[in-house]
């Protein structure tokens, strides 16, 4: 599925590929590009509409808490907030799992 989706996106010029080795810097660069692309697309879509404006929403799928200063998901959520996005979360842990981890 991944190969099929990336192939289609590449064919339409919609795939952004970074030439950066996997590291925290690469994740930070990818986070910034995701935010920039979303802002760019929102501006284009907003110009296509006759009235109103689009809301910028970042969807974060995670456990719900940062694991520290090197948590790239948390860095993405903070960058999105600082960039004017409303951040919505999908938590990946259920209540039973959370209770077991706290014990």
């Amino acid at each position: 599925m991944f190969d099929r989706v990336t192939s289609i996106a590449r064919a339409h010029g919609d795939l952004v590929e970074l030439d950066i080795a996997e590291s925290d810097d690469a994740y930070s660069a990818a986070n910034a590009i995701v935010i920039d692309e979303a802002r760019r697309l929102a501006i284009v879509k907003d110009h296509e509409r006759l009235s109103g404006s689009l809301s910028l929403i970042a969807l974060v799928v995670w456990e719900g808490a940062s694991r520290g200063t090197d948590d790239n998901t948390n860095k993405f959520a903070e960058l999105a907030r600082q960039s004017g996005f409303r951040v919505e979360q999908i938590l990946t842990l259920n209540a039973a799992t959370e209770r077991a981890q706290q014990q």
Side-chain angles (χ1 to χ4, degrees), residues 26-82:
Y27 287 105
S28 293
N31 285 346
I33 288 173
V34 167
I35 295 298
D36 290 345
E37 283 291 302
R39 291 182 73 80
R40 184 185 63 77
L41 290 170
I43 290 168
V44 168
K45 288 293 181 190
D46 203 31
H47 285 294
E48 292 175 0
R49 296 167 40 137
L50 295 176
S51 64
S53 86
L54 299 175
S55 296
L56 296 171
I57 302 170
L59 184 60
V60 179
V61 180
W62 68 332
E63 295 85 8
S66 175
R67 60 178 166 73
T69 58
D70 64 337
D71 187 323
N72 286 297
T73 304
N74 188 58
K75 288 179 184 179
F76 174 78
E78 288 303 314
L79 178 61
R81 278 188 199 93
Q82 293 168 2

Side-chain angles (χ1 to χ4, degrees), residues 18 20-30 72:
L18 303 179
I20 301 174
E22 186 174 329
S23 69
D24 281 346
D25 289 341
Y27 287 105
S28 293
N72 286 297

Side-chain angles (χ1 to χ4, degrees), residues 57-65 73 76-77 81 86-94 98:
I57 302 170
L59 184 60
V60 179
V61 180
W62 68 332
E63 295 85 8
T73 304
F76 174 78
R81 278 188 199 93
R86 185 177 87 225
V87 176
E88 296 290 336
Q89 301 180 64
I90 295 177
L91 300 179
T92 57
L93 295 177
N94 64 34
E98 289 177 27

